[in-house]
Amino acid sequence: MSLLPDAKTLLIEDSPDRVVVRLNRPEVRNAIDQQMIDELHQVCAFLESNPKILILTGAQTDKGGVFASGADIGQLRDRGREDALAGINIKLFIRIAELKMPVIAALDGFVLGGGAELAFAADFRIGTPSIRIGNPETSLGIMAAAGASWRLRELVGEPLAKEILLAGRVLNAEEALAARLVSSLHDPAELLPAAHALAERIAAQDPLAVQYTKAVFHLPRQAHPEADMQAQAVLFESAAKYRRMTAFLEKKAKK
């Protein structure tokens, strides 16, 4: 059975170890609306029950590649206090960040506002030379309230995060690479292959070990080292650990 066959805002490819999701509202540069939020929640529900690597990218527009130009301003303009307190975007982006297997954001063109915050929720970000990434929310009379206010400082440090959040600085590809906000740049035709190559490297690891490592990595400092010991205790008893270490020792013995 295909994943979300009736999706209106996403193009989805489901394979045994990964799911590729393309944001697909090219007429509005993949602006994130309520329908897209709802459909991404359904993707998360599937991945929470069936842990796989997630690759997020944007469908092509008639003006070239774009990840997401932000939230849908038409909908955002009409939202009020109760909508803000409902955490429409932030709850989804937290859910994406907390998926058991890694999330790869493959970025092209505009990565702005809510689109940037969606990218910040990923474990890996790669891009093309045309990316423009930033949070211009204060120019619209609001703030970046779906994760950028804390994730961006963790990703690039306080001085640059404040330039982006308080002064509206939008980074180009080279600046994003220098800040390590993206880990690599690729020609547009090579972007998705590069994301798949990264997914292949992740898929070559033991899935349970990857899941525990991701979970422990994101815990607060005070949770360590107890969390590390508890996670390792589970992995030490796994059949995969014994099988993989045995294979390593046998291969080493043959050299």
Side-chain angles (χ1 to χ4, degrees), residues 13 18 20 55 104 126 191-201:
E13 302 170 29
R18 75 199 66 166
V20 179
I55 297 175
I104 302 167
I126 62 174
L191 179 63
L192 199 55
H196 279 294
L198 176 55
E200 291 288 348
R201 296 200 297 274

Side-chain angles (χ1 to χ4, degrees), residues 36-53:
M36 185 180 288
I37 292 288
D38 293 342
E39 291 178 358
L40 285 169
H41 270 298
Q42 293 180 68
V43 172
C44 286
F46 173 80
L47 292 172
E48 286 161 357
S49 299
N50 306 273
K52 299 182 183 186
I53 299 162

